[in-house]
């Protein structure tokens, strides 16, 4: 088992150091509405990988979303896996109501760069099922090494 761990570590390091690639961090802020006219605000951070020659950009996102529900705010945390091959992408993950711990499957899609339009669908989530918004992000490349130059 130890040999596999060492092999995985060597492959991972070479993956990160390959030509024209980089891990990245991308914080973001999102504003939007549900189809039932509930306002929401999200903050998130994505940890990902981008390469000229490797797989399409992908990342793991964690975030906090607050929905305006009548006279109160409801908070949810979420995590998802995303893949963005061009100026659009898709993702799947979980969203959890902080108050009652209910978990819902979350599917997302978006189009754009730096500021982009988003749509996400939360299965079995009642009035919060369909969410439409706009998110602004700031991708930070080469923070752990790498030589990806997006411009």
């Amino acid at each position: 088992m130890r040999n596999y761990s060492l092999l995985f570590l060597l492959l991972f390091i070479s993956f990160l150091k390959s030509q024209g690639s980089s891990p990245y961090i991308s914080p973001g802020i999102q504003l939007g509405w549900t189809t039932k006219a509930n306002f929401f605000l999200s903050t998130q951070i994505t940890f990902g990988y981008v390469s000229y020659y490797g797989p399409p950009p992908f990342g793991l996102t964690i975030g906090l979303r607050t929905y305006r529900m009548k006279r109160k705010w409801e908070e949810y945390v979420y995590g998802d896996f995303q893949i963005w091959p061009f100026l659009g992408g898709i993702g799947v993950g979980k969203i959890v109501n902080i108050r009652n711990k209910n978990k819902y499957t979350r599917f997302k899609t978006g189009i754009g760069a730096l500021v982009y339009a988003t749509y996400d669908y939360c299965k079995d989530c009642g009035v919060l099922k369909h969410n439409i918004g706009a998110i602004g992000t700031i991708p930070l490349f080469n923070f752990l090494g790498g030589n990806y130059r997006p411009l």
Side-chain angles (χ1 to χ4, degrees):
M1 186 66 176
R2 187 170 189 262
N3 291 339
Y4 290 118
S5 298
L6 182 59
L7 179 61
F8 176 77
L9 179 62
L10 290 173
L11 286 173
F12 184 71
I13 291 170
S14 65
F15 191 62
L16 291 178
K17 293 295 187 180
S18 62
Q19 182 68 21
S21 64
S22 170
Y24 71 89
I25 294 177
S26 182
I29 296 176
Q30 180 180 25
L31 301 172
W33 288 266
T34 70
T35 52
K36 303 292 184 186
N38 297 85
F39 173 76
F40 70 84
L41 171 67
S42 297
T43 58
Q44 69 178 42
I45 188 162
T46 301
F47 302 92
Y49 181 79
V50 64
S51 173
Y52 290 126
Y53 308 109
F58 61 89
L60 296 173
T61 299
I62 55 172
L64 174 68
R65 177 171 288 179
T66 56
Y67 288 97
R68 181 71 178 156
M69 304 292 289
K70 296 184 182 172
R71 293 187 172 98
K72 62 180 176 151
W73 290 90
E74 283 193 23
E75 292 184 326
Y76 291 75
V77 293
Y78 61 89
D80 53 51
F81 175 78
Q82 304 175 21
I83 185 166
W84 293 84
F86 302 105
L87 290 178
I90 59 172
V92 64
K94 291 285 184 188
I95 188 166
V96 180
N97 185 315
I98 292 175
R99 183 178 44 83
N100 62 23
K101 308 293 187 239
N102 288 340
K103 297 178 185 178
Y104 307 98
T105 301
R106 178 174 180 253
F107 301 95
K108 69 184 282 183
T109 187
I111 187 165
L114 299 180
V115 175
Y116 54 94
T118 63
Y119 167 77
D120 60 78
Y121 170 78
C122 298
K123 186 178 179 187
D124 302 322
C125 202
V127 298
L128 309 178
K129 188 178 274 192
H130 301 280
N131 301 277
I132 300 164
I135 187 168
T137 62
I138 302 173
L140 306 168
F141 303 100
N142 304 322
F143 70 96
L144 288 176
N147 58 359
Y148 181 75
R149 305 286 183 260
L151 301 175

